[in-house]
Coordinates of all heavy atoms in Angstrom, one line a residue:
Chain B
A268 N 20.3 25.5 -31.2 CA 19.3 26.5 -31.9 C 17.9 26.0 -31.8 O 17.6 24.8 -31.9 CB 19.7 26.6 -33.3
I269 N 17.0 26.9 -31.5 CA 15.7 26.5 -31.3 C 14.8 26.8 -32.6 O 15.2 27.9 -33.2 CB 15.1 27.3 -30.0 CG1 15.5 26.5 -28.8 CG2 13.6 27.4 -30.0 CD1 15.4 27.2 -27.6
G270 N 13.9 26.0 -32.9 CA 13.1 26.1 -34.2 C 12.0 27.0 -34.1 O 11.9 27.9 -33.3
A271 N 11.1 26.7 -35.0 CA 9.9 27.6 -35.2 C 8.8 27.3 -34.1 O 8.9 26.2 -33.5 CB 9.2 27.3 -36.5
P272 N 7.9 28.2 -33.8 CA 6.9 27.9 -32.8 C 6.1 26.7 -33.3 O 5.8 26.6 -34.4 CB 6.0 29.2 -32.9 CG 6.9 30.3 -33.4 CD 7.9 29.6 -34.3
R273 N 5.8 25.9 -32.3 CA 5.1 24.7 -32.7 C 3.7 24.6 -31.9 O 2.7 24.6 -32.6 CB 5.9 23.4 -32.3 CG 5.3 22.2 -32.9 CD 6.3 21.0 -33.0 NE 7.0 21.0 -34.1 CZ 8.1 20.1 -34.3 NH1 8.3 19.2 -33.3 NH2 8.7 20.1 -35.4
L274 N 3.8 24.5 -30.6 CA 2.6 24.5 -29.8 C 2.3 25.8 -29.3 O 3.1 26.3 -28.4 CB 2.6 23.4 -28.8 CG 1.3 23.2 -28.0 CD1 0.2 22.5 -28.8 CD2 1.6 22.3 -26.7
V275 N 1.1 26.5 -29.6 CA 0.9 27.8 -29.1 C -0.4 27.9 -28.5 O -1.4 27.5 -29.0 CB 1.0 28.8 -30.3 CG1 0.7 30.2 -29.8 CG2 2.3 28.7 -31.1
A276 N -0.4 28.5 -27.2 CA -1.7 28.7 -26.5 C -1.9 30.2 -26.4 O -0.9 31.0 -26.1 CB -1.7 28.1 -25.2
E277 N -3.0 30.7 -26.8 CA -3.3 32.2 -26.8 C -4.5 32.4 -25.8 O -5.6 32.0 -26.2 CB -3.6 32.7 -28.2 CG -2.3 32.7 -29.0 CD -2.7 32.9 -30.5 OE1 -2.9 34.1 -30.9 OE2 -3.0 32.0 -31.2
D278 N -4.3 33.0 -24.7 CA -5.4 33.4 -23.9 C -6.4 32.3 -23.5 O -7.6 32.5 -23.7 CB -6.0 34.6 -24.5 CG -6.6 35.5 -23.4 OD1 -6.3 35.4 -22.2 OD2 -7.6 36.3 -23.7
V279 N -5.9 31.1 -23.2 CA -6.8 30.0 -23.1 C -7.4 29.9 -21.7 O -6.7 30.1 -20.7 CB -6.0 28.6 -23.4 CG1 -6.9 27.4 -23.0 CG2 -5.7 28.6 -24.8
T280 N -8.7 29.7 -21.6 CA -9.3 29.5 -20.3 C -9.9 28.1 -20.4 O -10.5 27.7 -21.3 CB -10.4 30.5 -20.1 OG1 -9.8 31.8 -20.0 CG2 -11.2 30.3 -18.8
V281 N -9.8 27.3 -19.2 CA -10.2 25.9 -19.1 C -11.0 25.8 -17.8 O -10.6 26.3 -16.8 CB -9.1 24.9 -19.1 CG1 -9.7 23.6 -18.8 CG2 -8.4 24.9 -20.5
H282 N -12.2 25.2 -17.9 CA -12.9 25.0 -16.7 C -12.9 23.5 -16.3 O -12.9 22.7 -17.1 CB -14.5 25.3 -16.9 CG -14.7 26.8 -17.0 ND1 -15.9 27.4 -16.7 CD2 -13.9 27.8 -17.4 CE1 -15.8 28.7 -16.9 NE2 -14.6 29.0 -17.3
L283 N -12.7 23.3 -15.0 CA -12.8 21.9 -14.5 C -13.9 21.9 -13.4 O -13.9 22.8 -12.6 CB -11.5 21.4 -13.8 CG -10.4 21.0 -14.7 CD1 -9.3 20.5 -13.8 CD2 -10.7 20.1 -15.8

Side-chain angles (χ1 to χ4, degrees):
Chain B
I269 280 166
R273 189 164 274 174
L274 183 68
V275 181
E277 292 165 84
D278 207 18
V279 173
T280 298
V281 170
H282 287 206
L283 283 188

